[in-house]
Amino acid sequence: MNNIENEIFHDKNIFCLYKEARKYVVSVSNIIVSIFFGVSFFILSAIGLFLVHGLFDFSKIPSVIRTEVSLGISYTSSILGFLVSGFALFFALISKKEIKKLVYTAYPIKKNNEKKISCMRMTLYSFMYVFVHYALFLLLCLLVSLFFPEGGPLQYITTYIFNSHQYIMKITCLIFLSTISGWFIYIVMLLKSFIWNLYQSILLSIALGFEEDSV
């Protein structure tokens, strides 16, 4: 009973849970793909904006940002609903016996120097890590959509700053657009990783059930 209580009350808040989850569920390949995409986007945009005259119009960047933000809001809100409902349904359908198996079964981690973690905690970490990233990305998209609408007051302020510091504004906009694009790719990759971790937990639970029935 004490082991189960430790599994449930190990983390005090969502930030502690996210911080601990980063030790186990962060995939280097996901980060590399996202950084590669963001850097490639920045380089290609910078070439079209600075080196090849007339290839890329800077005035189109705000429209591109609004389009990506709108797509981000639509995507993250729908996926968040899918994640929460699917995760709640998973634990609603799983029996207490299977939950106990997940609590006492160590998750197969490839890192040799990593301490053991139960399948239950790994599943919770995977969900929370993905949930936090989707929630933060949705929050960023909502802030951009609310504070930088087309024809809004902040648009005139940024236009004035751009006219005074064109080079700095161009670089800033490209960095922001490349960052949000790379982050978008990252949260898509996170969904793949989450489904894979959940899939492994289900398979382990099924395998342990068969082993128990054969004994």
Side-chain angles (χ1 to χ4, degrees):
M1 185 65 182
N2 291 332
N3 291 334
I4 297 179
E5 290 179 353
N6 291 334
E7 286 288 317
I8 296 175
F9 302 108
H10 179 269
D11 302 292
K12 303 303 180 181
N13 52 59
I14 189 172
F15 299 105
C16 294
L17 185 58
Y18 173 77
K19 184 179 178 180
E20 190 70 19
R22 292 179 57 187
K23 301 177 182 178
Y24 301 97
V25 302
V26 174
S27 173
V28 177
S29 60
N30 290 346
I31 296 176
I32 292 175
V33 171
S34 305
I35 292 177
F36 175 80
F37 182 86
V39 172
S40 300
F41 186 91
F42 177 83
I43 292 174
L44 293 175
S45 301
I47 290 174
L49 189 62
F50 295 105
L51 299 182
V52 183
H53 181 70
L55 182 62
F56 186 70
D57 187 5
F58 177 79
S59 62
K60 295 180 181 179
I61 289 184
S63 178
V64 174
I65 292 177
R66 293 189 186 97
T67 300
E68 191 162 350
V69 163
S70 177
L71 180 62
I73 292 174
S74 176
Y75 172 76
T76 52
S77 58
S78 59
I79 294 298
L80 275 174
F82 160 75
L83 285 174
V84 174
S85 59
F87 197 70
L89 184 62
F90 169 73
F91 279 99
L93 296 178
I94 193 171
S95 65
K96 293 182 179 180
K97 190 176 181 180
E98 292 171 327
I99 292 178
K100 187 176 180 180
K101 294 175 185 176
L102 293 177
V103 170
Y104 287 103
T105 303
Y107 190 88
I109 299 177
K110 296 181 179 179
K111 298 179 182 179
N112 295 326
N113 58 344
E114 198 70 77
K115 64 179 182 180
K116 290 184 179 181
I117 181 175
S118 69
C119 292
M120 173 64 71
R121 184 151 296 279
M122 187 65 181
T123 303
L124 294 174
Y125 282 164
S126 299
F127 169 75
M128 189 54 62
Y129 186 79
V130 174
F131 176 81
V132 169
H133 271 276
Y134 271 80
L136 290 177
F137 188 80
L138 176 60
L139 177 62
L140 174 64
C141 292
L142 289 174
L143 290 176
V144 174
S145 180
L146 289 174
F147 289 99
F148 293 93
E150 187 175 1
L154 290 179
Q155 181 179 352
Y156 297 103
I157 297 176
T158 54
T159 302
Y160 172 78
I161 297 175
F162 170 73
N163 293 331
S164 303
H165 306 86
Q166 294 189 17
Y167 185 81
I168 296 177
M169 282 298 294
K170 287 180 179 180
I171 293 295
T172 302
C173 288
L174 285 183
I175 291 176
F176 177 78
L177 186 56
S178 301
T179 301
I180 198 174
S181 299
W183 197 5
F184 206 152
I185 296 298
Y186 185 65
I187 64 174
V188 173
M189 299 290 288
L190 283 181
L191 182 61
K192 175 265 299 180
S193 299
F194 170 73
I195 293 176
W196 171 250
N197 289 329
L198 185 61
Y199 168 77
Q200 285 190 311
S201 296
I202 294 175
L203 285 184
L204 282 172
S205 177
I206 295 174
L208 289 173
F210 278 111
E211 288 180 0
E212 188 175 281
D213 293 337
S214 62
V215 175

